[in-house]
Amino acid sequence: MATAPGTGYQDPSAEVLAEAAAAFGLLASPARLHIVWALIQGESDVTGLAERVGGALPAVSQHLTKLKLAGLVRSRREGRRQVYFVDAAGQAAVVEVVRLLVGRLAERAAAVPAPARRLRGL
């Protein structure tokens, strides 16, 4: 690991940077970002998420599978339902980035309304 001149900070390894890029790449999808945003607000089953984000059930289910594989989302069984939630403990930094970025952009959009657009990819 190299040290940035004059800062004393160590540069992260290539593996760490690759893992971070993969997490951000996964969130580069508006549909998955919307799902994570919704789950930050509270847990939900796939039907509730599909209704909230305006996506088809199979598409939302596929997005949730990818988010689970990346460790951003977890689930638990409640009877016949699978309930999804953000792994805030394991991914606190990513969750905070999503909360801050999307929250600020939403506040800015509310201050200066733009034409409504439906998310693509759902």
Side-chain angles (χ1 to χ4, degrees), residues 16-50:
V16 168
L17 291 170
E19 187 177 344
F24 284 119
L26 190 65
L27 291 172
S29 160
R32 286 191 287 271
L33 190 58
H34 195 175
I35 290 168
V36 170
W37 172 259
L39 291 175
I40 287 171
Q41 311 309 312
E43 55 189 36
S44 180
D45 64 5
V46 68
T47 304
L49 282 171

Side-chain angles (χ1 to χ4, degrees), residues 4-117:
T7 67
Y9 291 111
Q10 296 282 335
D11 288 340
S13 68
E15 293 80 20
V16 168
L17 291 170
E19 187 177 344
F24 284 119
L26 190 65
L27 291 172
S29 160
R32 286 191 287 271
L33 190 58
H34 195 175
I35 290 168
V36 170
W37 172 259
L39 291 175
I40 287 171
Q41 311 309 312
E43 55 189 36
S44 180
D45 64 5
V46 68
T47 304
L49 282 171
E51 290 172 3
R52 180 164 179 184
V53 303
L57 242 126
V60 172
S61 182
Q62 287 178 2
H63 288 306
L64 285 166
T65 297
K66 290 179 182 181
L67 291 166
K68 277 182 72 173
L69 287 171
L72 295 171
V73 168
R74 295 178 57 203
S75 67
R76 71 172 183 282
R77 179 135 330 256
E78 282 188 3
R80 298 173 66 187
R81 293 180 337 136
Q82 195 78 4
V83 177
Y84 295 89
F85 56 96
V86 169
D87 185 7
Q91 298 292 335
V94 173
V95 169
E96 191 59 21
V97 167
V98 170
R99 184 187 333 254
L100 287 171
L101 178 63
V102 174
R104 286 184 182 159
L105 291 173
E107 288 171 4
R108 186 170 57 184
V112 182
R117 287 183 249 164

